[in-house]
């Protein structure tokens, strides 16, 4: 892990949703994927999924761990590392190993 991510991991995570029409985030380690219906981010508090309509990243600063998005926010869900690992092993490959 590079020193930039280590510095971000030591910071607090903050999520501010503005009238369900956008969000500001701190403590973001990376963008996993995004489209107009979902933004999936890796944060210092785990994986974060933001669901909605017309979503787009209006700001992304990897060095500072900052992100901003615009569009209608319908749901915000956090997944911890245990949940992420369980999801990985619950697919076809996980079923073959049982």
């Amino acid at each position: 892990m590079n020193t930039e991510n280590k510095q971000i991991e030591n910071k607090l995570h903050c999520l501010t949703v503005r009238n369900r029409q956008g969000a500001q985030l701190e403590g973001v380690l990376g963008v996993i994927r995004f489209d107009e219906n979902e933004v999936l981010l890796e944060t210092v508090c785990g994986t974060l999924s933001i669901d909605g309509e017309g979503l787009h990243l209006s700001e992304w600063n990897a060095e500072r761990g900052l992100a901003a998005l615009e569009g209608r926010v319908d749901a915000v869900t956090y997944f911890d590392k245990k949940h992420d690992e369980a999801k990985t092993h619950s697919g076809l490959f996980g079923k073959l190993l049982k």
Side-chain angles (χ1 to χ4, degrees):
M1 180 180 293
N2 63 30
T3 56
E4 288 175 359
N5 275 355
K6 285 183 182 180
Q7 290 173 347
I8 294 170
E9 283 185 349
N10 292 329
K11 291 187 176 184
L12 294 175
H13 171 62
C14 181
L15 166 65
T16 304
V17 178
R18 298 178 319 268
N19 295 321
R20 293 184 58 194
Q21 295 302 312
Q24 300 275 337
L25 299 104
E26 297 177 33
V28 179
L29 300 174
V31 178
I32 298 170
R33 72 171 187 266
F34 66 94
D35 62 36
E36 65 180 22
N37 297 313
E38 179 185 37
V39 177
L40 197 60
L41 305 166
E42 185 64 33
T43 75
V44 297
C45 292
T47 303
L48 171 63
S49 172
I50 301 174
D51 298 327
E53 289 185 14
L55 298 174
H56 65 277
L57 286 171
S58 58
E59 179 184 340
W60 167 236
N61 185 321
E63 291 176 4
R64 296 181 58 206
L66 301 175
L69 61 93
E70 295 178 356
R72 191 180 86 203
V73 176
D74 291 332
V76 175
T77 307
Y78 285 93
F79 302 100
D80 59 14
K81 292 184 189 294
K82 291 178 187 175
H83 183 273
D84 291 341
E85 290 171 6
K87 265 178 47 177
T88 302
H89 295 298
S90 67
L92 178 62
F93 186 69
K95 291 177 184 175
L96 291 173
L97 294 176
K98 288 184 179 179

